């Protein structure tokens, strides 16, 4: 159920997962149902019919991983960002106009359009992926970080070393584009 709150506060209840999009928020409740609050101009806050394990809120679309590993997306699909590929996934991350997910075989698949680069990720086995506005990064199975997309401010050039988590963020080709990670 979508509720609009001027203060941005979530509805009451307990959640196992929460994600912030552009002017809206969504969370997975303990029973697997979804609650979203904030703006819903592109139906990105529309509740999913199936229970979800995790979700990711993008600019104008939202995707989630179902219990069976399939991905379901809702919202704006101007560039194919909600047209999910077949197969099973362990996680999903939404950018502005694209989505990436880690498949059950540890490869990364992306769909939609990264405005300043191709959404095609590098090959290899990944533990996680994070889709920013115009670039994405993932932690590979050996702990190294690989990034693709816009690198106009060095945000897609990871430092050496092993990481356990990475998060791609910032504005579209803006001076505040960045990537942060947690080293092992």
């Amino acid at each position: 159920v979508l509720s609009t709150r001027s203060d941005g506060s979530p509805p009451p209840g307990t959640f196992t997962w929460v994600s912030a999009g552009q002017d809206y928020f969504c969370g997975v409740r303990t029973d697997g149902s979804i609650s979203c609050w904030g703006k819903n101009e592109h139906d990105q806050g529309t509740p999913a019919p199936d229970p979800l394990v995790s979700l990711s809120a993008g600019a104008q679309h939202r995707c989630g991983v179902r219990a069976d590993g399939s991905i379901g997306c809702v919202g704006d699909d101007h560039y194919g960002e909600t047209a999910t590929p077949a197969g099973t996934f362990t996680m999903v991350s939404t950018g502005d106009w694209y989505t990436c997910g880690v498949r059950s075989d540890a490869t990364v698949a992306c769909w939609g359009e990264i405005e300043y680069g191709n959404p095609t990720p590098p090959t290899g086995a990944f533990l996680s992926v994070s889709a920013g506005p115009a670039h994405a990064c993932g932690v590979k199975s050996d702990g190294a970080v690989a990034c693709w997309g816009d690198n106009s401010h060095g945000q897609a050039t990871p430092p050496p070393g092993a990481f356990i988590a990475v998060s791609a963020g910032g504005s579209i080709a803006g001076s505040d584009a960045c990537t942060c990670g947690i080293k092992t």
Side-chain angles (χ1 to χ4, degrees):
V1 174
L2 183 72
S3 62
T4 304
R5 297 171 178 253
S6 60
D7 64 357
S9 62
T14 56
F15 294 83
T16 60
W17 195 281
V18 176
S19 184
Q22 182 176 312
D23 299 325
Y24 75 102
F25 307 88
C26 290
V28 178
R29 293 183 175 275
T30 53
D31 66 0
S33 66
I34 298 272
S35 279
C36 295
W37 56 99
K39 290 187 178 179
N40 191 31
E41 296 172 10
H42 303 280
D43 293 329
Q44 72 272 22
T46 303
D50 299 320
L52 298 177
V53 176
S54 64
L55 63 80
S56 179
Q60 298 173 353
H61 75 291
R62 178 195 81 232
C63 296
V65 178
R66 295 181 184 108
D68 67 1
S70 64
I71 292 181
C73 297
V74 295
D76 187 20
D77 191 34
H78 189 73
Y79 296 104
E81 59 268 39
T82 66
T84 60
T88 58
F89 291 78
T90 59
M91 71 159 305
V92 66
S93 183
T94 54
D96 278 1
W97 298 290
Y98 72 103
T99 306
C100 293
V102 178
R103 291 183 179 275
S104 296
D105 67 0
T107 60
V108 172
C110 296
W111 53 98
E113 180 181 307
I114 295 178
E115 186 173 7
Y116 297 97
N118 189 322
T120 304
T123 59
F126 285 80
L127 301 173
S128 64
V129 65
S130 176
H135 76 289
C137 295
V139 177
K140 296 186 97 174
S141 61
D142 64 359
V145 171
C147 298
W148 55 99
D150 179 43
N151 194 31
S152 59
H153 300 284
Q155 69 271 24
T157 304
F163 290 77
I164 58 170
V166 66
S167 181
S171 65
I172 299 173
S175 60
D176 57 349
C178 63
T179 302
C180 294
I182 300 172
K183 285 191 162 191
T184 58

